[in-house]
Amino acid sequence: MPLLTFGLLFASPAAVIWLVRHQAWAARLGVVVICYLAGLLVSTLNLFDQNQVEAASTVGWLSIGLALPLLLMALDLRSWRSLAGKAMLSMFLATSAVVAVATSLYFLFADGVSARHSHLAAMSVGVYTGGTPNLAAIKAGLDIADSDYLLFHSVDTVIGAAYLLLMLTVGVPLFRRLLPGRAQMQAEGTVDSRLEEDFSLLLQRQTIWQVPVALAVAASGAGAVYALASWLAATFTALPMTPLLIVLLTTAGVALSFTALRQKLTHAYRIGMYLIYVFCFSIAATTTLETLAGADPMIGLFVLGAVLGSVVVHAVLCRFVGVDADTFMVTSVAAVCSPPFVPLIARALGNPGLLMSGMMTGIVGYALGNYLGISLALVLSGI
């Protein structure tokens, strides 16, 4: 039974990916949403017994531990220095905005007893600098309740979709009127194809060997990191083990991106994202709809305030320092919606040359989100 449960948990996202590729309605929902819904269906119908629920929780932890090094290893962090100055400045302002807004919301809602509000601030910073991988890592690192995490991400999905729609339509003329000038038209850059989520490439004869090799590399790295985190937590008792583990896994992934493995394991990002989908399904399978229904609606207000507040503050800061409208919108979408959505806003702006800057600033967010989110939670909870 345990092997069957583990097999189901790891294989279910493959079925969801197939569905998204072949059904228009599923494509509109997206892999993450369907994984959540499928997991909630499993838990609500009580298809898992207690042992299987515990197995799902274990798989969730394992998938995050393996996914983080793979996702970050795939990023071309050396390209940071090639970013246009205003794009990097705009991303810095976007990051500063969400940290400031999340901190303000913490003090607005905090009751002085529960750690929930510091967790919400951390998740806001993580998801609005990087995306789902950061959110999942911060959930694991801070041991955030499954119901809080799922409700946060569910509300974020709805609000994020509405935000993107507005940016692609009324946002273009609105911000071009409010912010100074427009970005100079640039030659179209090329986006690293390794960051595309075409999972069918993992099954090709010439590349399928990368799956076991990448998993072995990730497992070795995660094992070494766990040993180091255990030693540090035992030696310096003030250091919390779980956040330390996530920070070290993030650091290990960043370090691996500077090695030759990045060039050899060209599908590391896809494998890492697949593991994120495993995490989404597994965590949802441990949470019932009744638990979600009993969750605090304040979480929805927190998410709404974090998105709207950070976008407004980011826009105001960009106007103050003279960042143009196009650069603001590209970096805002990269921060709020993550890099895969940058091509949509670049096309809406009619300036495909901003594609590379938007993608790269989003990658910066991937790398920094875990550090910022976990650090903010620890600082706020210590106040």
Side-chain angles (χ1 to χ4, degrees):
M1 181 64 74
L3 287 177
L4 184 61
T5 302
F6 276 86
L8 174 64
L9 292 168
F10 278 103
S12 293
V16 173
I17 291 169
W18 182 91
L19 193 64
V20 167
R21 284 178 61 88
H22 293 86
Q23 297 292 326
W25 65 267
R28 284 192 288 269
L29 287 176
V31 179
V32 170
V33 172
I34 297 179
C35 281
Y36 281 145
L37 292 176
L40 285 171
L41 184 63
V42 168
S43 62
T44 301
L45 296 179
N46 293 318
L47 300 181
F48 280 0
D49 59 27
Q50 185 58 38
N51 290 333
Q52 290 172 307
V53 169
E54 292 175 1
S57 179
T58 300
V59 167
W61 263 102
L62 288 174
S63 58
I64 279 294
L66 295 175
L68 278 180
L70 292 173
L71 289 169
L72 292 168
M73 179 175 66
L75 305 180
D76 184 9
L77 299 180
R78 290 188 180 92
S79 296
W80 285 11
R81 55 177 173 263
S82 68
L83 276 177
K86 284 197 173 181
M88 200 63 185
L89 173 61
S90 182
M91 188 61 185
F92 171 76
L93 295 177
T95 303
S96 301
V98 71
V99 170
V101 170
T103 302
S104 300
L105 289 170
Y106 166 80
F107 286 111
L108 179 63
F109 289 106
D111 55 12
V113 178
S114 171
R116 166 183 283 178
H117 303 93
S118 65
H119 292 169
L120 294 176
M123 287 192 289
S124 298
V125 170
V127 77
Y128 300 130
T129 52
T132 299
N134 298 79
L135 183 63
I138 289 170
K139 183 260 186 259
L142 297 175
D143 196 23
I144 296 171
D146 292 346
S147 57
D148 286 355
Y149 167 79
L150 283 175
L151 184 57
F152 184 102
H153 204 185
S154 299
V155 175
D156 163 65
T157 300
V158 174
I159 294 176
Y163 157 85
L164 183 61
L165 179 62
L166 289 174
M167 289 296 277
L168 293 174
T169 53
V170 299
V172 175
L174 174 64
F175 287 111
R176 280 180 171 170
R177 176 173 295 183
L178 296 177
L179 297 177
R182 291 176 56 179
Q184 183 178 359
M185 290 293 291
Q186 306 169 28
E188 185 169 2
T190 57
V191 178
D192 194 338
S193 62
R194 285 174 287 197
L195 302 185
E196 297 173 356
E197 294 187 28
D198 184 358
F199 294 95
S200 64
L201 297 175
L202 296 177
L203 302 178
Q204 293 180 354
R205 183 185 307 174
Q206 62 269 33
T207 57
I208 195 171
W209 63 268
Q210 291 193 28
V211 176
V213 172
L215 291 175
V217 169
S220 300
V225 163
Y226 183 83
L228 176 60
S230 299
W231 178 78
L232 288 172
T235 305
F236 306 97
T237 54
L239 291 176
M241 173 66 178
T242 309
L244 179 62
L245 183 60
I246 295 299
V247 168
L248 289 176
L249 281 170
T250 301
T251 304
V254 170
L256 285 172
S257 73
F258 291 96
T259 69
L261 285 171
R262 179 182 175 276
Q263 300 298 330
K264 294 178 180 179
L265 297 176
T266 55
H267 294 314
Y269 183 84
R270 294 182 181 92
I271 299 168
M273 278 308 302
Y274 185 87
L275 290 169
I276 291 294
Y277 298 149
V278 172
F279 171 84
C280 294
F281 178 79
S282 301
I283 292 302
T286 66
T287 308
T288 63
L289 288 174
E290 289 79 6
T291 304
L292 279 179
D296 192 342
M298 176 271 301
I299 296 176
L301 294 176
F302 201 106
V303 177
L304 181 62
V307 175
L308 295 180
S310 61
V311 171
V312 170
V313 172
H314 182 200
V316 170
L317 291 175
C318 283
R319 180 173 177 80
F320 180 75
V321 301
V323 172
D324 61 87
D326 290 10
T327 301
F328 158 75
M329 284 186 281
V330 165
T331 50
S332 179
V333 168
V336 175
C337 298
S338 77
F341 293 91
V342 168
L344 297 178
I345 189 66
R347 188 181 306 120
L349 291 168
N351 192 350
L354 288 173
L355 186 60
M356 180 57 71
S357 293
M359 293 292 290
M360 284 309 304
T361 52
I363 287 171
V364 172
Y366 273 151
L368 295 181
N370 293 343
Y371 296 117
L372 290 173
I374 289 177
S375 297
L376 180 63
L378 294 178
V379 169
L380 293 178
S381 61
I383 293 178

